[in-house]
Amino acid sequence: MTIQKPSIPKGTRDFSPIEMMRRGYIFNTIKNIFEKHGYMPLETPSMENLSTLLGKYGEEGDKLLFKVLNSGDFLKKLSLQDVEAGNSNGVSAKICEKGLRYDLTVPFARYVVQHQNEIVFPFKRYQIQPVWRADRPQKGRYREFYQCDVDVVGSNSLLNEVELVQIVAEVFADLCINVTLKINNRKILYGISESIGYADKMMDITVAIDKLDKIGIEAVNEELLSKGIDSSAIAKLQPILTLQGDNSEKLVQIKKIISGSETGLKGVAEIETILEYVKALGVNLDIELDLSLARGLNYYTGAIFEVKAKDYAIGSICGGGRYDDLTGIFGLSGVSGVGISFGADRIYDVLLNLNLFPEDTDITTKALFVNFGGKEEIAALRLLIKMRMEGVSAEIYPDAVKMKKQMEYANKRGIPYVVIIGENELQTRIAAVKDMRSGEQWSVKFEVLASVLG
Amino acid sequence: MTIQKPSIPKGTRDFSPIEMMRRGYIFNTIKNIFEKHGYMPLETPSMENLSTLLGKYGEEGDKLLFKVLNSGDFLKKLSLQDVEAGNSNGVSAKICEKGLRYDLTVPFARYVVQHQNEIVFPFKRYQIQPVWRADRPQKGRYREFYQCDVDVVGSNSLLNEVELVQIVAEVFADLCINVTLKINNRKILYGISESIGYADKMMDITVAIDKLDKIGIEAVNEELLSKGIDSSAIAKLQPILTLQGDNSEKLVQIKKIISGSETGLKGVAEIETILEYVKALGVNLDIELDLSLARGLNYYTGAIFEVKAKDYAIGSICGGGRYDDLTGIFGLSGVSGVGISFGADRIYDVLLNLNLFPEDTDITTKALFVNFGGKEEIAALRLLIKMRMEGVSAEIYPDAVKMKKQMEYANKRGIPYVVIIGENELQTRIAAVKDMRSGEQWSVKFEVLASVLG
């Protein structure tokens, strides 16, 4: 067998123990809050039938699907003509039936339709699993990454939106990240376009408004003109572009501008209701109405959410919204849903760069018992059993090698305490405990080791 | 868009909320014990380079690898001749560079070699991730399933084997499954073969011995003869086939039979050491020396473990052993390791069939607040916040629909308590609480709701 220099596919990652423990801290915080709100865990298979995935993410998305070669003699379905034609799509359709999931949303919609008779609606579920995209890898963009979704389907109530706002507040409070929740509503975006006489150009108008911060008002107006929007309509739009004030002031002004659009006013009313609940419940979160927020416009039908960290520039770390017909693609219509997704990789980067991981996140083993062999070893092994029974992670170095080597192991592993039980300590039943961070050394009676170190 | 009847690839599974919670109970129990022993979490990518995977699982294993089609224009590397030749392997080698991992062991070996300079040895890691095999799906055999591995590499000490025995005892004690741990040693199997003059036929001899229970002693002897082992050697083997007694009695007899094999005696000594430690530490586990235990004979070099449930017939639910040169395939020799793997799917079946899942495993939400709208709704929402802050999962029905519908929801979801705060309850600040299992109804002051229901 030839010896290979080991490597992993580009865009994929190994997660080392320290990275896993930090990621575990994020996932556990999020899961805990999801569960306290009654959301239930769900997992779907990594592979879906390509017929489930294709056509759901646009043409670009189809190209980014990882396809899995049919097992067995996959060639028998393939003709020379297929290959000669040089059409990769045509060939892959004949040799691949399955693909790796691209997100958690389409598999969730597929699950809901497939299991609609077993599901109790409203169905509150969360899902934390990897997804795969054949994107060009670059800093912060991976070909395998975890998504962390929470959705409720089968209820139109705005209380669901309010609950998601509460969840955002609780998650980032627990993680000690200062955030702003930006909120918008697809219906308002429609209302704006309708009010200036271009309901059919909502997408172009929103895309242009979205650039205001970056390119300035004049460039936005030029872009609107270039998209075929006439100057009188652009003039009507100006108050939107210069909207000032807090959320309620903004809402007052918007209502004036879009007073002719029933849909638009409905969007405003939805935001007002959500904000009223949030206020009545004393939710501690900085919420900002942002008309430029569009996120997947084709997809959302009501509220749109996006979360940004205040103290670290990294793009959005959480986002979502309401969608009215997700399951329609699989033949079940009339199921409205709302959900958000947490970006674990970005949250990780924020916590790491702002030094916000709790100090004990990296600690696996609380105490290492030095191995002196013989009777001392047996005594240490017995104490270890007691420590673990009392919930303290502890281990013994597996060989009675030189003390220096064992201390080095504790040091490199970041084990905070080393317990020494030599001949004297065994006789007196008092262990010597070294605090590896301060260098201090104490004497601790065997009986209280677990409670002292735990 | 045509509407599809949704389905998932054969051999794969959706895990519903109830299944997820039950699986979570198993994984959490196992992880908790791994961590108490100082094992650290690790994850590797789902896709590995095919060069990492191919040739590691035998010819049969290579066929069972799921291969991932190269993204982009994969056809350009393929010639018509390749397709004309009709050689699936040749073609797949040109259009696929990556494959889904087949187990956690080879990726772990790859990780250790790739990161050898960052790793602190002995390296104690656990890994709980799905693996994929293009096996023919059948009852209890899936194309995607989780493995749950715990290994320590970089230490020859038998204390590691002892620790794994402790872990087995603790995991199954926590799960309330009665088990037998079968133990053997590859060196003893070699010693037996060497002692009868057929060191080179260890595999054939072990395979034959393994069938003793099923086919009886005469058939075993016939099989040995058919494999070219002469009758005097077979005669020497008879005491092994009729070995009786407890572990220490068996060890005494084996030592006599293999007294000429240094390797064999070393294997016996290893088992004796492990059993002595286990006894000295009072590990509460039924351990049985089983000479027919071989598990992946090509692979293990020392201790071999296998765990069977006593009260439910389902094959082994955990197994492993010591391997001396796992990382050699990737160019790092001299790293000995020992590990075991827990079979989550089978453990699930045992727990389910013996009714051993704790009663509260299925409970997500502890209490549902009935939604009456208006002021009552706001009061309920505020109480919910307090309940969750005190760690109790609770939710409110998102719409003020008929009480019957809301009660039905609680019932179907398996929510044990329903909290009713109508006009009267709001005035007196005493909620009506219905126990959905007994049907009983109590009055509970708002202030103590969390502690009463928590």
Side-chain angles (χ1 to χ4, degrees), chain B residues 3 16 35 83 92 137-138 146 154 158 175 177 193-194 209 220 222 231 253 264 275-276 338 353 363 389 395 421 446:
Chain B
I3 285 171
S16 70
E35 289 181 359
V83 182
S92 71
Q138 57 183 58
Y146 273 76
L158 291 172
L175 294 175
I177 300 179
S193 309
E194 195 182 29
I209 293 179
V220 169
E222 271 169 41
S231 40
Q253 295 173 66
L275 293 177
E276 276 160 25
V338 57
N353 283 289
I363 295 174
M389 276 175 62
E395 58 185 287
I421 300 174
F446 282 10

mmCIF file of all heavy atoms in Angstrom, chain B residues 3 16 35 83 92 137-138 146 154 158 175 177 193-194 209 220 222 231 253 264 275-276 338 353 363 389 395 421 446:
data_model
loop_
_atom_site.group_PDB
_atom_site.id
_atom_site.type_symbol
_atom_site.label_atom_id
_atom_site.label_comp_id
_atom_site.label_asym_id
_atom_site.label_seq_id
_atom_site.Cartn_x
_atom_site.Cartn_y
_atom_site.Cartn_z
ATOM 1 N N ILE B 3 -45.867 18.668 -9.219
ATOM 2 C CA ILE B 3 -45.881 18.336 -7.800
ATOM 3 C C ILE B 3 -45.487 16.884 -7.610
ATOM 4 O O ILE B 3 -45.997 15.986 -8.275
ATOM 5 C CB ILE B 3 -47.261 18.643 -7.199
ATOM 6 C CG1 ILE B 3 -47.373 20.155 -7.049
ATOM 7 C CG2 ILE B 3 -47.450 17.970 -5.867
ATOM 8 C CD1 ILE B 3 -48.727 20.634 -6.686
ATOM 9 N N SER B 16 -38.078 11.470 13.650
ATOM 10 C CA SER B 16 -39.154 12.319 14.153
ATOM 11 C C SER B 16 -38.759 12.867 15.523
ATOM 12 O O SER B 16 -37.822 12.361 16.153
ATOM 13 C CB SER B 16 -40.431 11.491 14.287
ATOM 14 O OG SER B 16 -40.278 10.570 15.364
ATOM 15 N N GLU B 35 -17.047 11.933 28.633
ATOM 16 C CA GLU B 35 -16.423 13.179 29.091
ATOM 17 C C GLU B 35 -15.935 13.075 30.530
ATOM 18 O O GLU B 35 -14.901 13.648 30.884
ATOM 19 C CB GLU B 35 -17.391 14.358 28.907
ATOM 20 C CG GLU B 35 -17.559 14.688 27.427
ATOM 21 C CD GLU B 35 -18.488 15.863 27.132
ATOM 22 O OE1 GLU B 35 -19.038 16.450 28.085
ATOM 23 O OE2 GLU B 35 -18.650 16.178 25.933
ATOM 24 N N VAL B 83 -15.976 5.140 -21.144
ATOM 25 C CA VAL B 83 -17.373 4.715 -21.054
ATOM 26 C C VAL B 83 -17.599 3.462 -21.885
ATOM 27 O O VAL B 83 -18.277 2.521 -21.463
ATOM 28 C CB VAL B 83 -18.309 5.844 -21.524
ATOM 29 C CG1 VAL B 83 -19.764 5.425 -21.385
ATOM 30 C CG2 VAL B 83 -18.044 7.112 -20.719
ATOM 31 N N SER B 92 -15.714 5.957 -12.532
ATOM 32 C CA SER B 92 -15.955 6.711 -11.302
ATOM 33 C C SER B 92 -14.668 7.362 -10.809
ATOM 34 O O SER B 92 -14.697 8.467 -10.264
ATOM 35 C CB SER B 92 -16.598 5.834 -10.227
ATOM 36 O OG SER B 92 -15.682 4.896 -9.731
ATOM 37 N N PRO B 137 -30.288 -2.282 1.685
ATOM 38 C CA PRO B 137 -31.029 -2.004 2.929
ATOM 39 C C PRO B 137 -31.880 -3.201 3.349
ATOM 40 O O PRO B 137 -32.437 -3.891 2.493
ATOM 41 C CB PRO B 137 -31.935 -0.821 2.549
ATOM 42 C CG PRO B 137 -31.390 -0.271 1.281
ATOM 43 C CD PRO B 137 -30.738 -1.416 0.579
ATOM 44 N N GLN B 138 -31.942 -3.474 4.622
ATOM 45 C CA GLN B 138 -32.846 -4.501 5.150
ATOM 46 C C GLN B 138 -33.142 -4.160 6.599
ATOM 47 O O GLN B 138 -32.619 -3.183 7.123
ATOM 48 C CB GLN B 138 -32.215 -5.889 5.024
ATOM 49 C CG GLN B 138 -30.868 -6.005 5.723
ATOM 50 C CD GLN B 138 -30.239 -7.372 5.503
ATOM 51 O OE1 GLN B 138 -30.013 -7.789 4.381
ATOM 52 N NE2 GLN B 138 -29.963 -8.072 6.590
ATOM 53 N N TYR B 146 -25.597 6.305 12.534
ATOM 54 C CA TYR B 146 -24.616 6.948 13.417
ATOM 55 C C TYR B 146 -23.684 5.910 14.023
ATOM 56 O O TYR B 146 -24.115 4.844 14.428
ATOM 57 C CB TYR B 146 -25.336 7.677 14.550
ATOM 58 C CG TYR B 146 -25.744 9.085 14.190
ATOM 59 C CD1 TYR B 146 -26.829 9.310 13.359
ATOM 60 C CD2 TYR B 146 -25.044 10.190 14.662
ATOM 61 C CE1 TYR B 146 -27.207 10.594 13.012
ATOM 62 C CE2 TYR B 146 -25.420 11.484 14.323
ATOM 63 C CZ TYR B 146 -26.500 11.676 13.503
ATOM 64 O OH TYR B 146 -26.869 12.950 13.158
ATOM 65 N N GLY B 154 -1.864 6.292 21.211
ATOM 66 C CA GLY B 154 -0.577 6.785 21.707
ATOM 67 C C GLY B 154 -0.246 6.290 23.100
ATOM 68 O O GLY B 154 0.561 6.881 23.799
ATOM 69 N N LEU B 158 -2.403 -1.047 29.572
ATOM 70 C CA LEU B 158 -3.653 -1.805 29.703
ATOM 71 C C LEU B 158 -4.684 -1.049 30.541
ATOM 72 O O LEU B 158 -5.859 -1.420 30.563
ATOM 73 C CB LEU B 158 -3.377 -3.179 30.311
ATOM 74 C CG LEU B 158 -2.607 -4.140 29.401
ATOM 75 C CD1 LEU B 158 -2.212 -5.395 30.188
ATOM 76 C CD2 LEU B 158 -3.450 -4.537 28.192
ATOM 77 N N LEU B 175 -28.079 3.205 31.367
ATOM 78 C CA LEU B 175 -29.190 2.933 30.448
ATOM 79 C C LEU B 175 -30.106 1.817 30.984
ATOM 80 O O LEU B 175 -31.122 1.504 30.373
ATOM 81 C CB LEU B 175 -28.663 2.535 29.064
ATOM 82 C CG LEU B 175 -27.907 3.611 28.263
ATOM 83 C CD1 LEU B 175 -27.335 3.017 26.973
ATOM 84 C CD2 LEU B 175 -28.831 4.786 27.918
ATOM 85 N N ILE B 177 -29.563 -1.368 31.009
ATOM 86 C CA ILE B 177 -29.541 -2.579 30.177
ATOM 87 C C ILE B 177 -28.588 -3.589 30.822
ATOM 88 O O ILE B 177 -27.433 -3.266 31.101
ATOM 89 C CB ILE B 177 -29.053 -2.253 28.743
ATOM 90 C CG1 ILE B 177 -29.970 -1.226 28.072
ATOM 91 C CG2 ILE B 177 -28.975 -3.518 27.900
ATOM 92 C CD1 ILE B 177 -29.535 -0.825 26.663
ATOM 93 N N SER B 193 -3.243 -21.214 17.529
ATOM 94 C CA SER B 193 -2.864 -21.677 16.194
ATOM 95 C C SER B 193 -1.393 -22.102 16.167
ATOM 96 O O SER B 193 -1.036 -23.143 15.594
ATOM 97 C CB SER B 193 -3.093 -20.568 15.162
ATOM 98 O OG SER B 193 -4.390 -20.062 15.303
ATOM 99 N N GLU B 194 -0.568 -21.318 16.836
ATOM 100 C CA GLU B 194 0.865 -21.624 16.866
ATOM 101 C C GLU B 194 1.103 -22.938 17.597
ATOM 102 O O GLU B 194 1.904 -23.778 17.151
ATOM 103 C CB GLU B 194 1.600 -20.477 17.573
ATOM 104 C CG GLU B 194 3.103 -20.496 17.362
ATOM 105 C CD GLU B 194 3.823 -19.378 18.124
ATOM 106 O OE1 GLU B 194 3.312 -18.954 19.188
ATOM 107 O OE2 GLU B 194 4.883 -18.939 17.651
ATOM 108 N N ILE B 209 -13.783 -22.286 15.106
ATOM 109 C CA ILE B 209 -14.123 -22.292 16.543
ATOM 110 C C ILE B 209 -15.370 -21.452 16.801
ATOM 111 O O ILE B 209 -16.233 -21.810 17.606
ATOM 112 C CB ILE B 209 -12.938 -21.731 17.385
ATOM 113 C CG1 ILE B 209 -11.726 -22.671 17.312
ATOM 114 C CG2 ILE B 209 -13.362 -21.555 18.840
ATOM 115 C CD1 ILE B 209 -10.517 -22.169 18.098
ATOM 116 N N VAL B 220 -17.307 -28.780 13.508
ATOM 117 C CA VAL B 220 -16.148 -27.893 13.595
ATOM 118 C C VAL B 220 -14.895 -28.659 13.182
ATOM 119 O O VAL B 220 -14.080 -28.178 12.383
ATOM 120 C CB VAL B 220 -15.995 -27.322 15.026
ATOM 121 C CG1 VAL B 220 -14.635 -26.630 15.185
ATOM 122 C CG2 VAL B 220 -17.124 -26.355 15.345
ATOM 123 N N GLU B 222 -14.646 -31.252 11.308
ATOM 124 C CA GLU B 222 -14.679 -31.509 9.857
ATOM 125 C C GLU B 222 -14.216 -30.283 9.087
ATOM 126 O O GLU B 222 -13.448 -30.383 8.129
ATOM 127 C CB GLU B 222 -16.103 -31.854 9.407
ATOM 128 C CG GLU B 222 -16.400 -33.342 9.493
ATOM 129 C CD GLU B 222 -17.880 -33.619 9.309
ATOM 130 O OE1 GLU B 222 -18.504 -32.978 8.423
ATOM 131 O OE2 GLU B 222 -18.421 -34.442 10.069
ATOM 132 N N SER B 231 -5.087 -34.198 11.508
ATOM 133 C CA SER B 231 -5.889 -34.692 12.620
ATOM 134 C C SER B 231 -5.160 -34.626 13.963
ATOM 135 O O SER B 231 -5.810 -34.456 14.993
ATOM 136 C CB SER B 231 -6.377 -36.121 12.337
ATOM 137 O OG SER B 231 -5.371 -36.857 11.719
ATOM 138 N N GLN B 253 -6.528 -23.432 32.051
ATOM 139 C CA GLN B 253 -6.490 -24.478 31.013
ATOM 140 C C GLN B 253 -5.816 -23.983 29.734
ATOM 141 O O GLN B 253 -5.023 -24.697 29.123
ATOM 142 C CB GLN B 253 -7.917 -24.948 30.700
ATOM 143 C CG GLN B 253 -8.589 -25.648 31.891
ATOM 144 C CD GLN B 253 -10.064 -25.941 31.608
ATOM 145 O OE1 GLN B 253 -10.374 -26.751 30.734
ATOM 146 N NE2 GLN B 253 -10.947 -25.272 32.315
ATOM 147 N N GLY B 264 1.045 -16.171 22.748
ATOM 148 C CA GLY B 264 -0.191 -16.623 23.369
ATOM 149 C C GLY B 264 -0.211 -16.334 24.860
ATOM 150 O O GLY B 264 -1.208 -15.838 25.401
ATOM 151 N N LEU B 275 -8.494 -8.236 34.054
ATOM 152 C CA LEU B 275 -9.478 -8.781 35.001
ATOM 153 C C LEU B 275 -9.098 -8.455 36.450
ATOM 154 O O LEU B 275 -9.976 -8.210 37.283
ATOM 155 C CB LEU B 275 -9.626 -10.293 34.800
ATOM 156 C CG LEU B 275 -10.258 -10.727 33.465
ATOM 157 C CD1 LEU B 275 -10.296 -12.246 33.344
ATOM 158 C CD2 LEU B 275 -11.671 -10.147 33.302
ATOM 159 N N GLU B 276 -7.789 -8.436 36.746
ATOM 160 C CA GLU B 276 -7.368 -8.077 38.108
ATOM 161 C C GLU B 276 -7.749 -6.641 38.453
ATOM 162 O O GLU B 276 -8.253 -6.373 39.539
ATOM 163 C CB GLU B 276 -5.839 -8.227 38.243
ATOM 164 C CG GLU B 276 -5.405 -9.652 38.564
ATOM 165 C CD GLU B 276 -3.932 -9.877 38.211
ATOM 166 O OE1 GLU B 276 -3.170 -8.879 38.193
ATOM 167 O OE2 GLU B 276 -3.566 -11.037 37.920
ATOM 168 N N VAL B 338 -6.589 1.855 21.350
ATOM 169 C CA VAL B 338 -7.636 0.914 21.727
ATOM 170 C C VAL B 338 -8.944 1.692 21.787
ATOM 171 O O VAL B 338 -8.962 2.862 22.199
ATOM 172 C CB VAL B 338 -7.312 0.195 23.061
ATOM 173 C CG1 VAL B 338 -7.080 1.183 24.190
ATOM 174 C CG2 VAL B 338 -8.376 -0.821 23.432
ATOM 175 N N ASN B 353 -37.808 -1.972 23.087
ATOM 176 C CA ASN B 353 -38.493 -3.250 23.250
ATOM 177 C C ASN B 353 -38.590 -3.698 24.703
ATOM 178 O O ASN B 353 -39.497 -4.419 25.066
ATOM 179 C CB ASN B 353 -37.822 -4.317 22.391
ATOM 180 C CG ASN B 353 -38.209 -4.169 20.935
ATOM 181 O OD1 ASN B 353 -39.344 -4.438 20.570
ATOM 182 N ND2 ASN B 353 -37.288 -3.692 20.111
ATOM 183 N N ILE B 363 -41.133 13.878 26.696
ATOM 184 C CA ILE B 363 -41.778 15.149 27.019
ATOM 185 C C ILE B 363 -40.899 16.322 26.616
ATOM 186 O O ILE B 363 -39.775 16.455 27.070
ATOM 187 C CB ILE B 363 -42.094 15.239 28.531
ATOM 188 C CG1 ILE B 363 -43.134 14.182 28.891
ATOM 189 C CG2 ILE B 363 -42.598 16.646 28.896
ATOM 190 C CD1 ILE B 363 -43.416 14.069 30.359
ATOM 191 N N MET B 389 -37.499 31.119 32.487
ATOM 192 C CA MET B 389 -36.309 31.587 33.215
ATOM 193 C C MET B 389 -35.968 30.622 34.336
ATOM 194 O O MET B 389 -34.810 30.477 34.706
ATOM 195 C CB MET B 389 -36.540 32.994 33.769
ATOM 196 C CG MET B 389 -36.246 34.075 32.726
ATOM 197 S SD MET B 389 -36.659 35.738 33.317
ATOM 198 C CE MET B 389 -35.542 35.866 34.721
ATOM 199 N N GLU B 395 -45.229 26.559 26.648
ATOM 200 C CA GLU B 395 -45.648 27.308 25.475
ATOM 201 C C GLU B 395 -47.107 27.705 25.603
ATOM 202 O O GLU B 395 -47.835 27.213 26.472
ATOM 203 C CB GLU B 395 -45.414 26.485 24.199
ATOM 204 C CG GLU B 395 -46.135 25.145 24.160
ATOM 205 C CD GLU B 395 -45.754 24.334 22.912
ATOM 206 O OE1 GLU B 395 -46.214 24.705 21.811
ATOM 207 O OE2 GLU B 395 -45.029 23.333 23.038
ATOM 208 N N ILE B 421 -55.780 30.284 32.232
ATOM 209 C CA ILE B 421 -55.899 31.605 32.865
ATOM 210 C C ILE B 421 -56.963 32.391 32.113
ATOM 211 O O ILE B 421 -56.697 33.014 31.086
ATOM 212 C CB ILE B 421 -54.554 32.358 32.854
ATOM 213 C CG1 ILE B 421 -53.499 31.550 33.633
ATOM 214 C CG2 ILE B 421 -54.700 33.754 33.467
ATOM 215 C CD1 ILE B 421 -52.108 32.114 33.575
ATOM 216 N N PHE B 446 -50.142 32.029 40.774
ATOM 217 C CA PHE B 446 -49.229 32.434 39.694
ATOM 218 C C PHE B 446 -47.763 32.332 40.124
ATOM 219 O O PHE B 446 -46.918 31.848 39.370
ATOM 220 C CB PHE B 446 -49.503 33.889 39.269
ATOM 221 C CG PHE B 446 -50.707 34.054 38.379
ATOM 222 C CD1 PHE B 446 -51.594 32.995 38.164
ATOM 223 C CD2 PHE B 446 -50.962 35.271 37.744
ATOM 224 C CE1 PHE B 446 -52.714 33.158 37.338
ATOM 225 C CE2 PHE B 446 -52.066 35.437 36.913
ATOM 226 C CZ PHE B 446 -52.948 34.386 36.716
#
